Amino acid sequence: MNTEFEARREAVVRAWRETLESEPASDDEDFFEAGGNSILAVELQRRLTAALGQRVPLRRLHDHPTVRGILGLHPPRQSRAAEAEAAGPPALTLYCLPYAGSSARIYEPWKTGLPSSVAVTPLELPGRGARWPERPKTELEPLLDDLAEAMDEARHTPYAVFGHSFGGILAFELVRHLRSLGFPPPRRLLVSGCPAPHLATPAETTYDLSDEEFTERLRQLRGTPEELLDNEELLELYIPIIRADYTILDHYKAPESEPLDCPVSVFYGRGDDDAGRDVTEPWSAYGSEPATIEEIAGDHFFLRDAEEELLTKMARHLGAPAPGNP
């Protein structure tokens, strides 16, 4: 390998290390699977630009998020399904769905925040995280089919499903979809920051706003990092993804169907003006028994701000010891 190429590789590895505070496991490790996100991708871009003396487009980082890819070498991606084979089946798998526009990587800390008897499995939607190259889906049924494909293990191992806000509606519809596919029911459906399905469709649409109006609406909702909203290049990449989620939510109509074959747990923020107790109590009509409803300190995004309280209560609902207890 020539000296110039090796120097460029070392520069990329150093920028990666300084951004994620860890070495890449290999030149083929995915930046987003290693802990990166859209904001960290901007930091990596800045470091690479300084180290290489030329600007690296954000799209290259998202399309080819490996050391090899950044250097212009693009080997085929390999499945990582074998990594967990030696661990054996967990007592319960908790499948987690993100809120609108978010990556499922927000649930990575839960893998250590919940008891070891609960295996946290974030379900990544197309077009974000490690699935960045895929086109985001704007219709509910194709998205549910996509998500169900990642849950085949749930056909024969105990599981529960969790979702926050838009993810709560996805979680509810996913449980219904799994039932239609012959899956056994989950031990429990858990939703947070999410009105009952018949109250979940927004009064005003968001998906059809102009880019400028759409960005302002996201700023008002406070679920999108300011660093993303203030970066035009990053916004250009992410607006189609976030708009896809709102296309599904804005067109959502609650089904007239039988209650789920599982209990439902609902968490709401004490200061949440959009998904408080008044619109979460009606979830009781959707489970196999009256919903268990818990108040959490914080506003709509208590998912981030009161994580420890939420996980402690979730562990109890899942029948597991509280985090940190035997």
mmCIF file of all heavy atoms in Angstrom, residues 14-24 29-37 40-41 43-44 47:
data_model
loop_
_atom_site.group_PDB
_atom_site.id
_atom_site.type_symbol
_atom_site.label_atom_id
_atom_site.label_comp_id
_atom_site.label_asym_id
_atom_site.label_seq_id
_atom_site.Cartn_x
_atom_site.Cartn_y
_atom_site.Cartn_z
ATOM 1 N N ARG A 14 -8.153 8.698 12.481
ATOM 2 C CA ARG A 14 -7.984 9.662 13.573
ATOM 3 C C ARG A 14 -9.232 10.526 13.733
ATOM 4 O O ARG A 14 -9.696 10.765 14.852
ATOM 5 C CB ARG A 14 -6.758 10.542 13.315
ATOM 6 C CG ARG A 14 -6.473 11.535 14.440
ATOM 7 C CD ARG A 14 -5.128 12.210 14.263
ATOM 8 N NE ARG A 14 -5.044 12.949 13.003
ATOM 9 C CZ ARG A 14 -4.340 12.564 11.948
ATOM 10 N NH1 ARG A 14 -3.667 11.423 11.972
ATOM 11 N NH2 ARG A 14 -4.330 13.308 10.846
ATOM 12 N N ALA A 15 -9.814 10.975 12.619
ATOM 13 C CA ALA A 15 -11.034 11.783 12.679
ATOM 14 C C ALA A 15 -12.185 10.970 13.272
ATOM 15 O O ALA A 15 -12.989 11.477 14.070
ATOM 16 C CB ALA A 15 -11.397 12.289 11.284
ATOM 17 N N TRP A 16 -12.267 9.722 12.873
ATOM 18 C CA TRP A 16 -13.285 8.804 13.413
ATOM 19 C C TRP A 16 -13.091 8.671 14.927
ATOM 20 O O TRP A 16 -14.064 8.788 15.694
ATOM 21 C CB TRP A 16 -13.126 7.450 12.735
ATOM 22 C CG TRP A 16 -14.025 6.336 13.176
ATOM 23 C CD1 TRP A 16 -14.150 5.797 14.427
ATOM 24 C CD2 TRP A 16 -14.939 5.591 12.351
ATOM 25 N NE1 TRP A 16 -15.048 4.772 14.437
ATOM 26 C CE2 TRP A 16 -15.551 4.618 13.187
ATOM 27 C CE3 TRP A 16 -15.275 5.638 10.999
ATOM 28 C CZ2 TRP A 16 -16.492 3.703 12.704
ATOM 29 C CZ3 TRP A 16 -16.211 4.736 10.516
ATOM 30 C CH2 TRP A 16 -16.809 3.778 11.352
ATOM 31 N N ARG A 17 -11.857 8.401 15.358
ATOM 32 C CA ARG A 17 -11.553 8.196 16.775
ATOM 33 C C ARG A 17 -11.887 9.433 17.604
ATOM 34 O O ARG A 17 -12.466 9.339 18.687
ATOM 35 C CB ARG A 17 -10.080 7.834 16.943
ATOM 36 C CG ARG A 17 -9.659 7.613 18.393
ATOM 37 C CD ARG A 17 -8.225 7.116 18.482
ATOM 38 N NE ARG A 17 -7.281 8.059 17.906
ATOM 39 C CZ ARG A 17 -6.566 7.840 16.808
ATOM 40 N NH1 ARG A 17 -6.688 6.695 16.145
ATOM 41 N NH2 ARG A 17 -5.715 8.752 16.366
ATOM 42 N N GLU A 18 -11.546 10.611 17.101
ATOM 43 C CA GLU A 18 -11.815 11.847 17.831
ATOM 44 C C GLU A 18 -13.315 12.157 17.893
ATOM 45 O O GLU A 18 -13.774 12.780 18.851
ATOM 46 C CB GLU A 18 -11.073 13.007 17.169
ATOM 47 C CG GLU A 18 -9.556 12.897 17.308
ATOM 48 C CD GLU A 18 -8.822 13.945 16.477
ATOM 49 O OE1 GLU A 18 -9.502 14.646 15.684
ATOM 50 O OE2 GLU A 18 -7.587 14.045 16.620
ATOM 51 N N THR A 19 -14.071 11.698 16.905
ATOM 52 C CA THR A 19 -15.515 11.955 16.877
ATOM 53 C C THR A 19 -16.274 10.997 17.785
ATOM 54 O O THR A 19 -17.138 11.407 18.563
ATOM 55 C CB THR A 19 -16.056 11.842 15.441
ATOM 56 O OG1 THR A 19 -15.366 12.767 14.598
ATOM 57 C CG2 THR A 19 -17.555 12.140 15.395
ATOM 58 N N LEU A 20 -15.961 9.708 17.704
ATOM 59 C CA LEU A 20 -16.690 8.692 18.468
ATOM 60 C C LEU A 20 -15.980 8.292 19.754
ATOM 61 O O LEU A 20 -16.527 7.523 20.547
ATOM 62 C CB LEU A 20 -16.906 7.442 17.610
ATOM 63 C CG LEU A 20 -17.810 7.602 16.386
ATOM 64 C CD1 LEU A 20 -17.970 6.258 15.679
ATOM 65 C CD2 LEU A 20 -19.169 8.151 16.779
ATOM 66 N N GLU A 21 -14.744 8.799 19.939
ATOM 67 C CA GLU A 21 -13.937 8.460 21.114
ATOM 68 C C GLU A 21 -13.696 6.953 21.203
ATOM 69 O O GLU A 21 -13.668 6.370 22.281
ATOM 70 C CB GLU A 21 -14.598 8.979 22.390
ATOM 71 C CG GLU A 21 -14.741 10.503 22.416
ATOM 72 C CD GLU A 21 -15.340 11.014 23.713
ATOM 73 O OE1 GLU A 21 -15.736 10.174 24.557
ATOM 74 O OE2 GLU A 21 -15.385 12.237 23.901
ATOM 75 N N SER A 22 -13.553 6.331 20.046
ATOM 76 C CA SER A 22 -13.216 4.908 19.984
ATOM 77 C C SER A 22 -12.644 4.608 18.607
ATOM 78 O O SER A 22 -12.941 5.303 17.630
ATOM 79 C CB SER A 22 -14.443 4.026 20.241
ATOM 80 O OG SER A 22 -15.400 4.198 19.220
ATOM 81 N N GLU A 23 -11.816 3.570 18.548
ATOM 82 C CA GLU A 23 -11.231 3.150 17.278
ATOM 83 C C GLU A 23 -12.271 2.399 16.448
ATOM 84 O O GLU A 23 -13.116 1.690 17.004
ATOM 85 C CB GLU A 23 -10.037 2.224 17.522
ATOM 86 C CG GLU A 23 -8.871 2.867 18.238
ATOM 87 C CD GLU A 23 -8.050 3.743 17.306
ATOM 88 O OE1 GLU A 23 -8.214 3.616 16.072
ATOM 89 O OE2 GLU A 23 -7.251 4.552 17.820
ATOM 90 N N PRO A 24 -12.254 2.529 15.120
ATOM 91 C CA PRO A 24 -13.126 1.667 14.302
ATOM 92 C C PRO A 24 -12.704 0.212 14.467
ATOM 93 O O PRO A 24 -11.507 -0.102 14.492
ATOM 94 C CB PRO A 24 -12.890 2.174 12.876
ATOM 95 C CG PRO A 24 -11.569 2.877 12.916
ATOM 96 C CD PRO A 24 -11.441 3.448 14.302
ATOM 97 N N GLU A 29 -16.347 -1.162 9.427
ATOM 98 C CA GLU A 29 -17.374 -0.885 10.436
ATOM 99 C C GLU A 29 -18.213 0.315 10.022
ATOM 100 O O GLU A 29 -17.699 1.324 9.533
ATOM 101 C CB GLU A 29 -16.742 -0.620 11.804
ATOM 102 C CG GLU A 29 -17.786 -0.391 12.883
ATOM 103 C CD GLU A 29 -17.212 -0.267 14.280
ATOM 104 O OE1 GLU A 29 -16.058 0.189 14.409
ATOM 105 O OE2 GLU A 29 -17.910 -0.626 15.237
ATOM 106 N N ASP A 30 -19.523 0.211 10.244
ATOM 107 C CA ASP A 30 -20.466 1.273 9.904
ATOM 108 C C ASP A 30 -20.420 2.359 10.984
ATOM 109 O O ASP A 30 -20.576 2.074 12.172
ATOM 110 C CB ASP A 30 -21.874 0.679 9.796
ATOM 111 C CG ASP A 30 -22.888 1.673 9.258
ATOM 112 O OD1 ASP A 30 -23.147 2.675 9.944
ATOM 113 O OD2 ASP A 30 -23.433 1.428 8.163
ATOM 114 N N PHE A 31 -20.202 3.608 10.566
ATOM 115 C CA PHE A 31 -20.104 4.734 11.491
ATOM 116 C C PHE A 31 -21.354 4.847 12.362
ATOM 117 O O PHE A 31 -21.254 5.103 13.569
ATOM 118 C CB PHE A 31 -19.901 6.027 10.696
ATOM 119 C CG PHE A 31 -19.884 7.288 11.523
ATOM 120 C CD1 PHE A 31 -18.762 7.645 12.260
ATOM 121 C CD2 PHE A 31 -20.995 8.121 11.550
ATOM 122 C CE1 PHE A 31 -18.747 8.806 13.021
ATOM 123 C CE2 PHE A 31 -20.987 9.284 12.303
ATOM 124 C CZ PHE A 31 -19.857 9.629 13.039
ATOM 125 N N PHE A 32 -22.530 4.645 11.778
ATOM 126 C CA PHE A 32 -23.772 4.806 12.521
ATOM 127 C C PHE A 32 -24.016 3.630 13.458
ATOM 128 O O PHE A 32 -24.525 3.801 14.560
ATOM 129 C CB PHE A 32 -24.940 4.991 11.554
ATOM 130 C CG PHE A 32 -24.800 6.236 10.727
ATOM 131 C CD1 PHE A 32 -24.372 6.171 9.409
ATOM 132 C CD2 PHE A 32 -25.047 7.483 11.277
ATOM 133 C CE1 PHE A 32 -24.222 7.319 8.647
ATOM 134 C CE2 PHE A 32 -24.889 8.637 10.531
ATOM 135 C CZ PHE A 32 -24.473 8.563 9.212
ATOM 136 N N GLU A 33 -23.635 2.429 13.053
ATOM 137 C CA GLU A 33 -23.759 1.284 13.939
ATOM 138 C C GLU A 33 -22.776 1.380 15.102
ATOM 139 O O GLU A 33 -23.008 0.810 16.169
ATOM 140 C CB GLU A 33 -23.537 -0.013 13.164
ATOM 141 C CG GLU A 33 -24.631 -0.326 12.161
ATOM 142 C CD GLU A 33 -24.396 -1.621 11.424
ATOM 143 O OE1 GLU A 33 -23.390 -2.296 11.721
ATOM 144 O OE2 GLU A 33 -25.210 -1.955 10.544
ATOM 145 N N ALA A 34 -21.683 2.116 14.904
ATOM 146 C CA ALA A 34 -20.671 2.265 15.949
ATOM 147 C C ALA A 34 -21.026 3.352 16.955
ATOM 148 O O ALA A 34 -20.286 3.561 17.917
ATOM 149 C CB ALA A 34 -19.319 2.575 15.313
ATOM 150 N N GLY A 35 -22.151 4.039 16.750
ATOM 151 C CA GLY A 35 -22.562 5.072 17.694
ATOM 152 C C GLY A 35 -22.744 6.440 17.082
ATOM 153 O O GLY A 35 -23.100 7.390 17.782
ATOM 154 N N GLY A 36 -22.486 6.567 15.777
ATOM 155 C CA GLY A 36 -22.645 7.855 15.123
ATOM 156 C C GLY A 36 -24.099 8.216 14.898
ATOM 157 O O GLY A 36 -24.973 7.363 14.935
ATOM 158 N N ASN A 37 -24.348 9.500 14.695
ATOM 159 C CA ASN A 37 -25.671 9.980 14.334
ATOM 160 C C ASN A 37 -25.496 11.177 13.415
ATOM 161 O O ASN A 37 -24.371 11.505 13.011
ATOM 162 C CB ASN A 37 -26.494 10.338 15.578
ATOM 163 C CG ASN A 37 -25.785 11.335 16.481
ATOM 164 O OD1 ASN A 37 -25.117 12.263 16.014
ATOM 165 N ND2 ASN A 37 -25.913 11.152 17.792
ATOM 166 N N LEU A 40 -23.133 13.880 14.895
ATOM 167 C CA LEU A 40 -21.743 13.421 14.914
ATOM 168 C C LEU A 40 -21.181 13.315 13.499
ATOM 169 O O LEU A 40 -19.973 13.480 13.297
ATOM 170 C CB LEU A 40 -21.645 12.077 15.634
ATOM 171 C CG LEU A 40 -21.876 12.130 17.148
ATOM 172 C CD1 LEU A 40 -21.869 10.725 17.734
ATOM 173 C CD2 LEU A 40 -20.810 12.985 17.833
ATOM 174 N N ALA A 41 -22.054 13.053 12.517
ATOM 175 C CA ALA A 41 -21.583 13.009 11.132
ATOM 176 C C ALA A 41 -21.075 14.379 10.693
ATOM 177 O O ALA A 41 -20.104 14.481 9.938
ATOM 178 C CB ALA A 41 -22.708 12.540 10.209
ATOM 179 N N GLU A 43 -19.703 16.570 12.752
ATOM 180 C CA GLU A 43 -18.404 16.709 13.415
ATOM 181 C C GLU A 43 -17.328 15.935 12.657
ATOM 182 O O GLU A 43 -16.205 16.414 12.478
ATOM 183 C CB GLU A 43 -18.496 16.217 14.858
ATOM 184 C CG GLU A 43 -19.377 17.066 15.752
ATOM 185 C CD GLU A 43 -19.329 16.607 17.193
ATOM 186 O OE1 GLU A 43 -18.384 15.882 17.555
ATOM 187 O OE2 GLU A 43 -20.253 16.970 17.956
ATOM 188 N N LEU A 44 -17.674 14.719 12.218
ATOM 189 C CA LEU A 44 -16.714 13.924 11.455
ATOM 190 C C LEU A 44 -16.363 14.632 10.160
ATOM 191 O O LEU A 44 -15.190 14.660 9.744
ATOM 192 C CB LEU A 44 -17.299 12.540 11.168
ATOM 193 C CG LEU A 44 -16.421 11.595 10.333
ATOM 194 C CD1 LEU A 44 -15.096 11.309 11.046
ATOM 195 C CD2 LEU A 44 -17.171 10.291 10.052
ATOM 196 N N ARG A 47 -13.820 17.351 10.819
ATOM 197 C CA ARG A 47 -12.477 16.831 11.100
ATOM 198 C C ARG A 47 -11.831 16.268 9.834
ATOM 199 O O ARG A 47 -10.628 16.436 9.617
ATOM 200 C CB ARG A 47 -12.562 15.752 12.189
ATOM 201 C CG ARG A 47 -12.892 16.313 13.577
ATOM 202 C CD ARG A 47 -12.742 15.250 14.660
ATOM 203 N NE ARG A 47 -12.813 15.850 15.981
ATOM 204 C CZ ARG A 47 -13.891 15.844 16.753
ATOM 205 N NH1 ARG A 47 -14.995 15.251 16.326
ATOM 206 N NH2 ARG A 47 -13.876 16.409 17.941
#
